[in-house]
Amino acid sequence: MNNSTTTHFIRKIIEDDIAQGRCPAGIHTRFPPEPNGYLHIGHAKAICLNFGMATEYQGKCNLRFDDTNPEKEDLKYVEAIQEDVRWLGFDWEDRLFFASDYFTRLFEFAVALIEQGKAYVDALSAEQMREYRGTLTEPGVDSPYRERPVAENLDLFRRMKAGEFADGELSLRAKIDMRAPNLNLRDPVIYRIRRTPHYRAGAAWCIYPMYDFTHCLSDALEHVTHSLCSLEFEDHRPLYDWFIDNLDTPARPRQYEFARLNLEYTVLSKRKLVELVEGGYVRGWDDPRMPTLSGLRRRGFTPHSLRTFCARIGLTKNDTWIDASMLEHAIRDELGVTAPRRMAVLRPLKVVIDNYPDDQEELLDAANHPQDPSMGTRQIPFGKVLYIEQDDFMEDAPRKFFRLAPGREVRLRYAYFITCNEVIKDAASGAVLELRCSYDPATRGGNAPDGRKVKGTLHWVSARHAQLAQARLYDRLFAVANPDQGKQDWKSCLNPASLEILDDCLIEPDLTQAAPEQRFQFERLGYFCADRQDWQPDHPVFNRIVTLRDSWAKMGKR
RNA sequence: UGGGGCGUGGCCAAGUGGUAAGGCACAGGGUUUUGAUCCCUGCAUUCCCAGGUUCGAAUCCUGGCGCCCCAGCCA
């Protein structure tokens, strides 16, 4: 394959910083999720970037939980997030941090700001504050409390911390510029009173710092050099710099922004993902149709394929919608070389080989990978009664149909050439019940000694040896590429056929030995993964990760 | 005449004054015991538009147009 990774703008910034000697201790990045939900493929882009840059330039990357809002956060998310990041293949070593661990130092920074006359305690209500802030086109107005003396601010702020005021009664604001064209600079609130216990800090605090104040200082405390975040924080950067410039911090981190990921046929906003789960549109956060890392994992995507995907979509500041085929390509590309091949019949059609001895059975050699002999071979049982795919038979077949049809000869993979002689149908419905065929004993293994060719090769299983299995076939969650874009309700765009469960699949006996999360290519069908939750040796469950490319199906659509 | 960003093929994306990389997708062809893989081939006379500078512009200048983000005591 090709491993073309381009030198994107972040790499250029880093390389320039290193060349100029601005990072004597090496570069340092961080992945800073708020533990208020599950990670999705959009986060994977940020994770790969932050950890990737650190590895690439011999630097370090921290995992930091941005947990400054006790109302939304929970320990279960910090655990799930760590599992997902680790699964993706990244290691923060001993650098697991929590913004909540900085509460005391953050408080001291706030005091320092007050002492410099650069922060004040405001008594405006939230509604009043909104009025005073002005609008996009009108400047804001100074709060009547803006010129409160330093000593009074100090006293009030300490008493806020001590719990002397009700939630929302007072707030601490940075004193910047109420007429700034950038709304973020109009005296942003940096501390609010919230008598909500924190999932880690408990009831120790009743005041909590805001994101803008916390993030830059946490970066500085951790000696982060490159703070990479998404584009919507672009106009927070002046604020980021303002805090760093006005406080005595141990380091001078810089923020850089990149465009977040949008993927076709899915949604990536937390609000919508929650709605999918809570509305019962999917079977949970790890539903294999979900774009969450746990969903992609359960579906069968590998960490490597996700990393490759992230590397190939590039990194810019452009608003982009990545074509769904990019993700499919990433996993096909990998599994094409790594997945052992097996035979499974999803929708069985009975085939009886009339001229095959009734009680005869034999074991036939099959390669585990046609291009990779090192993956070895296995033996597949063959007998008089077999099953093939319903789609592989057509009674009135067009010329280009290379599969089985009355009077036509095909190859059963690794077995024999067979010819269809008779079609048994249900008298009432006319449905095809079984095929009576004959085989050519000379073609054992799949080659004709007389050199004759067949156009089609079919997968099959032996009726007597096959095991029953469930296959879950997934398709795109949404029927339209950009469910977010239209004027219609995004939920009305859900693909009603995103999940199809097949309970009567027949798999070759070897497949019952699979372990949960093991991946295979079911020949001619696609890549499948043993479900990590529901797979049982006596009840095999396989998730279809992705189909094989199918130029035959494509012809049918034209 | 609020501020900040972004506009290169169907989707991504290189390119930063010297005559449009690459990937995905798509379309042909070859190999093939998976209609898969693999291998060739094709796919922007043109870079949002209009002017200008220059021997030469996707790249520089001017003026438009389009799209995204911001008015939480969320992150």
Side-chain angles (χ1 to χ4, degrees), chain A residues 364-365 410-417 440-449 452-454 456-457:
Chain A
L364 301 166
D365 292 320
V410 296
R411 169 169 39 235
L412 293 182
R413 177 145 238 224
Y414 298 122
Y416 293 97
F417 283 14
D440 176 356
T443 57
R444 189 177 200 271
N447 287 305
R452 80 180 184 281
K453 304 287 184 197
V454 288
T457 300

Side-chain angles (χ1 to χ4, degrees), chain A residues 52-112:
Chain A
M53 289 304 94
T55 317
E56 208 171 311
Y57 295 100
Q58 292 85 50
K60 290 172 177 167
C61 180
N62 300 350
L63 174 61
R64 178 172 77 230
F65 287 95
D66 231 328
D67 54 354
T68 55
N69 184 353
E71 289 174 339
K72 296 184 173 178
E73 297 149 6
D74 195 282
L75 188 59
K76 73 178 179 190
Y77 297 119
V78 345
E79 283 160 357
I81 288 170
Q82 289 188 67
E83 184 183 352
D84 286 345
V85 175
R86 239 183 254 118
W87 175 77
L88 235 203
F90 297 102
D91 182 9
W92 52 89
E93 298 173 322
D94 58 347
R95 297 179 307 280
L96 171 64
F97 299 112
F98 294 83
S100 53
D101 285 347
Y102 305 141
F103 281 170
T104 299
R105 280 196 270 185
L106 259 7
F107 178 82
E108 286 160 4
F109 276 126
V111 168

Side-chain angles (χ1 to χ4, degrees), chain A residues 104-404:
Chain A
T104 299
R105 280 196 270 185
L106 259 7
F107 178 82
E108 286 160 4
F109 276 126
V111 168
L113 226 37
I114 295 171
E115 284 169 343
Q116 294 178 68
K118 287 173 179 166
Y120 61 97
V121 172
D122 202 349
L124 250 29
S125 69
E127 306 79 72
Q128 289 172 313
M129 210 178 279
R130 194 180 318 123
E131 285 160 20
Y132 277 71
R133 185 158 34 231
T135 67
L136 292 180
T137 52
E138 305 157 46
V141 176
D142 286 358
S143 163
Y145 306 98
R146 199 172 196 264
E147 299 308 326
R148 212 193 279 277
V150 169
E152 198 178 315
N153 283 322
L154 241 23
D155 176 60
L156 252 17
F157 186 50
R158 293 203 169 105
R159 286 164 59 198
M160 277 168 66
K161 176 178 185 277
E164 292 185 26
F165 303 98
D167 286 13
E169 191 178 343
L170 296 177
S171 64
L172 184 69
R173 295 229 259 168
K175 191 193 283 190
I176 306 181
D177 181 2
M178 286 307 291
R179 286 162 311 163
N182 179 344
L183 289 286
N184 294 117
L185 265 16
R186 319 243 260 231
D187 289 9
V189 169
I190 57 180
Y191 264 93
R192 76 278 216 185
I193 303 173
R194 195 114 315 165
R195 234 161 288 263
T196 303
H198 188 274
Y199 77 100
R200 289 187 88 241
W205 295 82
C206 65
I207 58 172
Y208 292 94
M210 301 287 288
Y211 165 85
D212 285 305
F213 182 68
T214 307
H215 203 90
C216 52
L217 295 172
S218 302
D219 283 343
L221 290 173
E222 294 174 17
H223 289 84
V224 163
T225 56
H226 301 259
S227 186
L228 312 177
C229 63
S230 45
L231 242 30
E232 63 265 34
F233 292 104
E234 232 163 357
D235 44 22
H236 290 235
R237 187 174 356 113
L239 228 199
Y240 185 105
D241 291 335
W242 190 88
F243 289 121
I244 296 293
D245 290 341
N246 285 288
L247 259 0
D248 185 20
T249 59
R252 169 60 280 197
R254 295 278 175 188
Q255 173 182 300
Y256 301 96
E257 311 84 11
F258 60 89
R260 58 196 305 168
L261 170 70
N262 291 296
L263 229 203
E264 286 187 339
Y265 296 100
T266 192
V267 291
L268 292 180
S269 87
K270 185 164 298 171
R271 196 202 98 221
K272 293 194 173 84
L273 294 176
V274 168
E275 222 174 315
L276 286 175
V277 173
E278 292 183 350
Y281 298 98
V282 295
R283 299 175 165 190
W285 287 97
D286 69 343
D287 185 297
R289 290 167 292 183
M290 289 283 276
T292 49
L293 294 186
S294 55
L296 290 161
R297 175 180 184 176
R298 189 162 176 193
R299 172 82 163 257
F301 279 84
T302 60
H304 180 261
S305 68
L306 262 23
R307 282 186 255 121
T308 305
F309 170 77
C310 289
R312 287 198 183 168
I313 55 176
L315 191 81
T316 64
K317 300 177 86 149
N318 301 341
D319 277 338
T320 58
W321 281 90
I322 304 296
D323 199 301
S325 66
M326 289 263 208
L327 223 205
E328 295 177 355
H329 175 260
I331 188 64
R332 282 199 191 104
D333 204 27
E334 176 184 347
L335 263 20
V337 340
T338 61
R341 304 298 102 142
R342 291 293 183 270
M343 293 207 280
V345 175
L346 264 24
R347 299 177 180 83
L349 171 61
K350 188 175 180 184
V351 168
V352 178
I353 314 292
D354 286 320
N355 61 337
Y356 194 85
D358 285 356
D359 297 318
Q360 186 171 318
E361 281 179 21
E362 58 189 312
L363 289 171
L364 301 166
D365 292 320
N368 288 328
H369 190 116
Q371 277 83 237
D372 183 1
S374 76
M375 290 179 77
T377 62
R378 67 190 185 285
Q379 295 197 303
I380 312 176
F382 185 86
K384 185 183 181 74
V385 183
L386 311 166
Y387 284 96
I388 64 168
E389 207 69 59
Q390 287 172 17
D391 284 351
D392 284 340
F393 173 78
M394 206 180 243
E395 197 168 10
D396 296 304
R399 178 149 238 93
K400 303 282 271 180
F401 186 77
F402 300 149
R403 309 176 184 183
L404 202 56

